[in-house]
């Protein structure tokens, strides 16, 4: 991607990235967690990279094992415990001695198997800041050490600031990359359109939705088509996905 082709908000987002990258690294250096890994979209097998396609893991961030090019593993996001945990919670958490902890007790973290990290040599402790953005985008930033550094106390003092930095980094990077591709400001959905989407997300057929809402099948389909057009979606599944990512379809319906 050529910098000469970047204009407007995209150009401004790319221009902001070097300072954000430096701030993330400086924050880790300051608290004894100097090894950084970041991914702006856990669903993307490609590493987080600059405008020229150069991975930040190569050009900017240091890692515990300098000879381990982990970002080249396209399956990494599928088997790393920290990334599993980042998908499950939007709150920052920390790793120490085989366990994940956060500001509060949560069974979501308790259920994540960290045995691999515990058995990895030269891996000490870490603070992980997940970033959950609209339309289903999930990213994360990791600050790690080689040795124990008293991460529980560091987390109490710095987790909020680190989470804020991670949010800025991931959101800015995704906007610079134009992700998601269909990200537009949706038109206002009507009450009926939202109702139809919620029942569709719950697995109901058009006929079942019609019975529940006392509508004809053709009317249900009309509302679902209108909702899809407003959301910039193609098809039922994408309409539900986008609506859920924007908060129109709550967890109860889904």
């Amino acid at each position: 991607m050529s910098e000469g082709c970047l204009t407007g908000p995209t150009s401004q987002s790319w221009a902001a990235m070097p300072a954000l990258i430096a701030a993330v690294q400086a924050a880790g250096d300051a608290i004894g967690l100097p090894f950084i890994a970041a991914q702006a979209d856990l669903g993307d097998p490609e590493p987080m990279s600059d405008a020229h396609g150069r991975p930040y893991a190569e050009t900017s961030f240091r890692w515990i094992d300098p000879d381990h090019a982990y970002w080249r593993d396209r399956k990494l996001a599928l088997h790393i415990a920290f990334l599993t945990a980042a998908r499950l919670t939007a709150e920052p958490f920390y790793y120490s001695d085989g366990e994940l902890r956060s500001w509060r007790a949560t069974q979501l973290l308790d259920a994540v198997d960290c045995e691999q990290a515990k058995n990895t040599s030269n891996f000490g402790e870490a603070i992980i800041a997940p970033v959950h953005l609209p339309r289903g985008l999930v990213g994360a930033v990791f600050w790690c050490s080689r040795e124990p550094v008293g991460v529980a106390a560091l987390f109490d003092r710095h987790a909020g600031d680190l989470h804020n930095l991670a949010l800025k980094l991931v959101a800015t990077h995704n906007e610079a990359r134009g992700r998601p591709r269909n990200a537009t400001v949706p038109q206002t959905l009507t009450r009926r359109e939202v109702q139809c989407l919620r029942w569709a997300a719950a697995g109901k057929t058009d006929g079942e939705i019609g019975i529940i809402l006392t509508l004809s099948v053709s009317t249900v389909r009309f509302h679902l088509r209108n909702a899809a057009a407003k959301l910039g979606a193609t098809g039922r599944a994408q309409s539900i996905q986008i609506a859920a990512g924007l908060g129109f379809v709550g967890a109860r319906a889904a």
Side-chain angles (χ1 to χ4, degrees):
M1 183 182 297
S2 170
E3 288 186 350
C5 298
L6 302 177
T7 59
T10 297
S11 178
Q12 294 169 13
S13 294
W14 280 124
M17 286 301 296
L20 288 171
I21 292 287
V24 167
Q25 184 64 64
D29 292 340
I31 62 175
L33 298 170
F35 303 105
I36 314 294
Q39 181 65 341
D41 181 1
L42 300 188
D44 186 354
E46 296 298 326
M48 189 175 176
S49 304
D50 65 18
H52 303 283
R54 298 172 300 196
Y56 291 118
E58 287 184 345
T59 64
S60 305
F61 293 139
R62 303 191 300 276
W63 190 240
I64 293 168
D65 180 356
D67 297 323
H68 177 40
Y70 65 86
W71 58 91
R72 294 177 183 164
D73 182 356
R74 296 174 65 88
K75 298 180 181 179
L76 188 70
L78 300 178
H79 58 76
I80 296 297
F82 297 162
L83 296 180
T84 297
R87 289 186 172 95
L88 296 175
T89 178
E91 301 167 69
F93 55 92
Y94 66 91
Y95 168 82
S96 180
D97 195 26
E99 296 183 341
L100 299 176
R101 294 288 180 264
S102 187
W103 286 317
R104 61 185 178 87
T106 168
Q107 62 181 3
L108 294 175
L109 295 179
D110 292 341
V112 177
D113 182 3
C114 294
E115 198 64 25
Q116 182 183 23
K118 188 175 182 179
N119 294 329
T120 299
S121 60
N122 296 326
F123 190 87
E125 297 178 315
I127 293 176
I128 301 95
V131 177
H132 289 239
L133 297 174
R135 294 179 180 263
L137 273 174
V138 179
V141 180
F142 307 79
W143 288 266
C144 311
S145 68
R146 286 196 178 110
E147 302 291 340
V149 291
V151 73
L154 293 174
F155 184 85
D156 287 341
R157 292 197 298 270
H158 302 290
D161 291 335
L162 295 180
H163 198 206
N164 186 45
L165 262 180
L167 174 59
K168 290 179 179 179
L169 180 74
V170 170
T172 301
H173 179 82
N174 279 326
E175 187 151 334
R177 297 291 295 178
R179 295 177 179 170
R181 290 188 299 273
N182 61 348
T184 58
V185 178
Q187 301 176 48
T188 301
L189 299 182
T190 67
R191 176 171 172 269
R192 280 300 194 201
E193 288 163 357
V194 171
Q195 287 176 328
C196 289
L197 282 170
R198 287 175 177 169
W199 284 114
K204 301 299 183 182
T205 66
D206 292 347
E208 290 170 333
I209 296 171
I211 293 171
I212 293 167
L213 298 179
T214 319
L215 300 173
S216 69
V217 172
S218 61
T219 301
V220 170
R221 291 172 179 168
F222 170 79
H223 289 312
L224 288 173
R225 284 197 303 270
N226 282 351
K230 291 178 179 180
L231 294 169
T234 55
R236 188 188 194 93
Q238 192 179 54
S239 293
I240 294 170
Q241 178 191 29
I242 294 175
L246 292 173
F248 289 112
V249 176
R252 184 175 63 175

